[in-house]
């Protein structure tokens, strides 16, 4: 029944979009003409159908408030539109993290534009729009206006100028917190040993109410095109094993065992005590592995035995994912309740590329029911060092008996990675543009046309000094690979304040070629 309702909603949204597209064609043509025949062909002679397809594609750029403040709104929009062929701004509106907001991260070379002064001491994060507190009555989390850039309301500042150019504006909101946010500490997760973590619990009613309040506020207060939600917070099994690329193995810090999780477990018939006991055993297993204390039957067998003896471990992990997906559903519903034509997208984090177990928990077709578009992270340059780190992490616990190079080759087969560099060269080689192509095609096949796929393209994402630094040629190849695979657009990531202008030019060239492919 739900599926049927969704498809009805989708058809009416599509019809309505095409009406909007028709009305906007005049403005779009003017914008294309003004930008010097952006897509190569004479705009006036373009068939209406082609303009419509161009209109529906989203060539996006992630960008934080500081770039507009440092460089000026019109100047930045000019660069994005004319050099990068960008038609959609993913404007970082809510976060306390530096991945999406702030200038270049400390220790990295500044790009060839914007301020060259580190903001490490002044960066804070928060809501870069104006919070309208009447929307936040059902949550104890009260996020004030971000203090680091003065009083500027970045959505208001960018929206009018972007609309005049025919550019779409989405607010990016991210589950990243600062401990000084009023009300947030009471919502922190609780780890295996009863300590408060620094991540918020997705079963906490105040957290749930915050996300719907935030997106409702943004969608009602501004004439934006929609929301892109980021939540890279992951479940207890992945964290217990460190089966990711970004983290150290955080066994004993595994979350969440708070009262709200216990309540949710009860509702789903999961035994809290058994789950906790299972994770304590897993913790013991990981600690022993890191000390090189091999179980008599080997690491993998011991791990499997734990999974068989404590099915509650997997159940607890699924419980986490359930909450994360409920947040997606609630955000989607809240946005559509404001205006069904607004679009909602979700960022699917990079571990989805590396970890087959995580991949099994992310069914693209299911996700498509909760989204108008999915941003699938396919960062290839930094992907090399990240993938190598993932292999080293799982190779230090569950697969400790397997030589790392063999482990990576095996994993490549599982994930259809093709012929990427060997483990010792992976960080310096990066992953190929072909990886972007394959991940895009996999996502398109997965969603079966039920939502758009916008691969996240790596331009200038920081890597270690010895790892690959992306060139303009890399930016061009990765961007074009996404379009060749049939993507509905791209989202250039992580943020404009990390990117060199020649790489933005290169992405722009690929976008123009990609549009021609689609046309
Ligand atoms: Zn919890």
């Amino acid at each position: 029944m739900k599926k049927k309702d969704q498809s009805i909603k989708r058809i009416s949204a599509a019809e309505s979009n095409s009406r909007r597209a028709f009305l906007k064609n005049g403005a779009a043509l003017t914008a294309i003409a003004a930008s010097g025949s952006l897509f190569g062909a004479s705009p006036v002679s373009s068939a209406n159908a082609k303009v419509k397809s161009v209109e529906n594609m989203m060539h996006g750029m992630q960008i934080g408030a500081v770039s507009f403040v440092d460089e000026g709104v019109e100047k930045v929009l000019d660069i994005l539109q004319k050099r990068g062929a960008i038609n959609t701004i993913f404007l970082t509106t809510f976060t306390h993290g530096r991945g999406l907001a702030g200038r270049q991260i400390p220790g990295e070379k500044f790009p060839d534009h914007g301020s060259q002064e580190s903001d490490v001491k002044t960066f804070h994060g928060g809501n870069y729009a104006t919070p309208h507190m009447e929307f936040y009555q059902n949550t104890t989390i009260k996020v004030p206006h971000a203090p680091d850039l003065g009083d500027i309301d970045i959505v208001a500042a960018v929206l009018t100028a972007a609309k005049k150019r025919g550019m779409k504006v989405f607010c990016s909101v991210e589950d990243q917190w600062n401990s000084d946010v009023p009300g947030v500490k009471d919502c922190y997760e609780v780890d295996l040993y009863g300590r408060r973590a620094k991540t918020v619990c997705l079963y906490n009613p105040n957290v749930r109410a915050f996300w719907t309040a935030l997106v409702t506020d943004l969608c009602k207060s501004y004439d934006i095109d929609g929301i892109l939600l980021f939540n890279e917070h992951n479940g207890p099994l992945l964290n217990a094993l460190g089966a990711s690329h970004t983290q150290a193995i955080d066994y004993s810090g595994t979350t969440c065992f708070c009262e709200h999780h216990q309540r949710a477990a009860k509702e789903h018939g999961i035994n809290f005590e058994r789950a906790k006991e299972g994770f304590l055993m897993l913790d013991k297993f990981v600690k022993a592995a890191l000390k090189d204390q091999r179980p008599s039957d080997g690491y993998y067998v011991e791990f499997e035995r734990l999974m068989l003896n404590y099915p509650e471990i997997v159940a607890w992990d699924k419980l986490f994912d359930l909450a994360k997906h409920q947040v997606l559903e609630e955000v989607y519903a809240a946005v559509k309740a404001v205006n069904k034509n607004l679009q909602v997208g979700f960022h699917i984090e990079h571990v989805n590329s590396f970890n087959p177990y995580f991949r099994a928990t992310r069914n693209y077709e299911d996700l498509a029911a909760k989204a108008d578009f999915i941003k699938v992270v396919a960062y290839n340059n930094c992907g090399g060092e990240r993938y190598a780190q993932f292999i080293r992490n799982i190779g230090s616990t569950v697969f400790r008996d397997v030589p790392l190079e063999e482990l990576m080759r095996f994993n490549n087969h599982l994930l259809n990675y093709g012929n990427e560099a060997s483990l010792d060269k992976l960080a310096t080689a990066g992953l190929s543009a072909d990886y972007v192509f394959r991940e895009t095609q996999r996502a398109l096949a997965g969603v079966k046309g039920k939502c758009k796929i916008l691969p996240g393209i790596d331009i200038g994402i920081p890597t270690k000094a010895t790892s690959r630094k992306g060139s303009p040629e890399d930016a061009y190849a990765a961007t074009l690979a996404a379009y060749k695979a049939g993507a509905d657009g791209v989202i250039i990531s992580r943020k404009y304040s990390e990117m060199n202008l020649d790489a933005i030019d290169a992405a722009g060239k690929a976008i123009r070629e990609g549009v021609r492919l689609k046309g």
Side-chain angles (χ1 to χ4, degrees), residues 32-229:
I32 291 166
S35 62
S37 192
L38 188 60
F39 302 105
S42 161
V44 180
S45 68
S46 294
N48 196 38
K50 185 168 178 185
V51 175
K52 227 170 95 177
S53 120
V54 166
E55 178 84 7
N56 285 332
M57 290 178 86
M58 290 159 73
H59 318 294
M61 169 70 81
Q62 290 181 186
I63 180 164
V66 74
S67 293
F68 288 108
V69 172
D70 283 349
E71 300 178 45
V73 172
E74 293 295 344
K75 190 182 158 202
V76 170
L77 291 178
D78 243 20
I79 290 170
L80 298 185
Q81 193 172 35
K82 291 181 182 168
R83 299 182 68 163
I86 296 298
N87 69 1
T88 307
I89 313 273
F90 291 94
L91 178 60
T92 303
T93 307
F94 175 85
T95 188
H96 295 86
R98 294 193 66 100
L100 297 179
R103 293 177 188 149
Q104 179 61 286
I105 60 171
E108 295 292 322
K109 194 169 172 264
F110 282 96
D112 54 358
H113 59 92
S115 169
Q116 307 286 301
E117 199 182 316
S118 175
D119 59 354
V120 69
K121 290 199 176 123
T122 52
F123 178 80
H124 185 278
N127 188 343
Y128 290 92
T130 302
H132 302 90
M133 295 325 285
E134 63 269 27
F135 291 104
Y136 302 87
Q137 282 171 3
N138 294 329
T139 175
T140 51
I141 304 176
K142 312 283 184 193
V143 182
H145 179 69
D148 32 349
L149 300 171
D151 292 337
I152 188 167
D153 176 329
I154 200 63
V155 181
V158 171
L159 196 58
T160 314
K163 292 263 167 191
K164 258 188 214 156
R165 294 165 180 260
M167 298 171 93
K168 291 191 169 102
V169 177
F170 284 76
C171 289
S172 294
V173 300
E174 185 185 30
D175 182 1
Q176 286 269 355
W177 298 88
N178 192 315
S179 59
D180 68 3
V181 170
V184 81
K185 278 186 182 165
D186 296 334
C187 300
Y188 276 167
E189 292 190 310
V190 172
D191 77 13
L192 189 53
Y193 294 95
R195 299 166 301 196
R196 284 276 184 191
K198 289 199 171 168
T199 39
V200 299
C201 176
L202 301 179
Y203 277 110
N204 189 307
N206 286 306
V207 174
R208 297 286 275 266
F210 174 79
W211 288 116
T212 52
L214 175 67
V215 298
T216 304
D217 181 5
L218 292 170
C219 291
K220 279 198 173 167
S221 306
Y222 304 94
D223 184 23
I224 54 173
D225 293 279
I227 297 286
L228 173 57
L229 178 69

Side-chain angles (χ1 to χ4, degrees), residues 133-409:
M133 295 325 285
E134 63 269 27
F135 291 104
Y136 302 87
Q137 282 171 3
N138 294 329
T139 175
T140 51
I141 304 176
K142 312 283 184 193
V143 182
H145 179 69
D148 32 349
L149 300 171
D151 292 337
I152 188 167
D153 176 329
I154 200 63
V155 181
V158 171
L159 196 58
T160 314
K163 292 263 167 191
K164 258 188 214 156
R165 294 165 180 260
M167 298 171 93
K168 291 191 169 102
V169 177
F170 284 76
C171 289
S172 294
V173 300
E174 185 185 30
D175 182 1
Q176 286 269 355
W177 298 88
N178 192 315
S179 59
D180 68 3
V181 170
V184 81
K185 278 186 182 165
D186 296 334
C187 300
Y188 276 167
E189 292 190 310
V190 172
D191 77 13
L192 189 53
Y193 294 95
R195 299 166 301 196
R196 284 276 184 191
K198 289 199 171 168
T199 39
V200 299
C201 176
L202 301 179
Y203 277 110
N204 189 307
N206 286 306
V207 174
R208 297 286 275 266
F210 174 79
W211 288 116
T212 52
L214 175 67
V215 298
T216 304
D217 181 5
L218 292 170
C219 291
K220 279 198 173 167
S221 306
Y222 304 94
D223 184 23
I224 54 173
D225 293 279
I227 297 286
L228 173 57
L229 178 69
F230 291 73
N231 186 345
E232 295 202 333
H233 184 179
N234 273 308
L237 183 53
L238 186 147
N239 287 334
L241 297 170
S244 176
H245 56 284
T246 48
Q247 62 209 68
I249 298 173
D250 187 24
Y251 40 90
S252 304
T254 293
T255 53
C256 176
F257 298 89
C258 81
E259 54 180 313
H260 303 289
H261 254 85
Q262 291 181 44
R263 176 180 38 79
K266 211 170 182 180
E267 282 166 19
H268 290 88
I270 303 167
N271 185 323
F272 166 70
E273 293 302 333
R274 284 277 306 167
K276 199 167 170 184
E277 196 179 306
F279 275 99
L280 285 168
M281 296 295 284
L282 192 60
D283 192 28
K284 236 167 104 178
F285 163 81
V286 171
K287 280 177 178 157
L290 294 177
K291 285 186 197 150
D292 220 12
Q293 294 167 353
R294 186 177 187 274
S296 55
D297 286 334
Y299 292 102
Y300 182 75
V301 169
E302 187 67 17
F303 171 73
E304 276 301 330
R305 192 168 284 151
L306 267 175
M307 294 296 110
L308 291 169
N309 288 341
Y310 291 94
E312 294 85 0
I313 292 176
V314 171
W316 205 257
D317 199 61
K318 279 202 79 165
L319 192 65
F320 172 86
D321 266 347
L322 177 67
K324 190 161 164 174
H325 289 131
Q326 284 171 347
V327 173
L328 304 186
E329 282 170 12
E330 287 166 12
V331 162
Y332 184 85
V335 172
K336 298 292 176 180
V338 176
N339 179 346
K340 67 182 187 334
N341 295 326
L342 296 178
Q343 306 277 291
V344 183
F346 303 124
H347 160 99
I348 308 289
E349 56 269 43
H350 215 173
V351 69
N352 176 50
S353 263
F354 310 137
N355 181 333
Y357 184 88
F358 181 92
R359 187 175 279 198
T361 67
R362 295 293 177 275
N363 180 314
Y364 280 134
E365 194 175 2
D366 288 349
L367 287 170
K370 306 174 179 74
D372 298 297
F373 62 93
I374 297 176
K375 178 198 164 195
V376 178
V377 167
Y379 306 159
N380 63 327
N381 289 310
C382 70
E385 74 171 26
R386 290 181 177 191
Y387 186 32
Q389 184 61 31
F390 167 73
I391 293 293
R392 289 195 186 97
N393 276 355
I394 56 165
S396 58
T397 56
V398 180
F399 298 105
R400 200 175 175 92
D401 286 324
V402 185
L404 292 179
E405 181 64 32
E406 287 179 44
L407 179 58
M408 193 190 81
R409 291 285 144 208

Side-chain angles (χ1 to χ4, degrees), residues 437 441 479-487 514 517:
F437 181 90
Q441 284 215 321
T479 308
L480 192 59
Y483 287 95
K484 280 188 174 164
L517 289 175

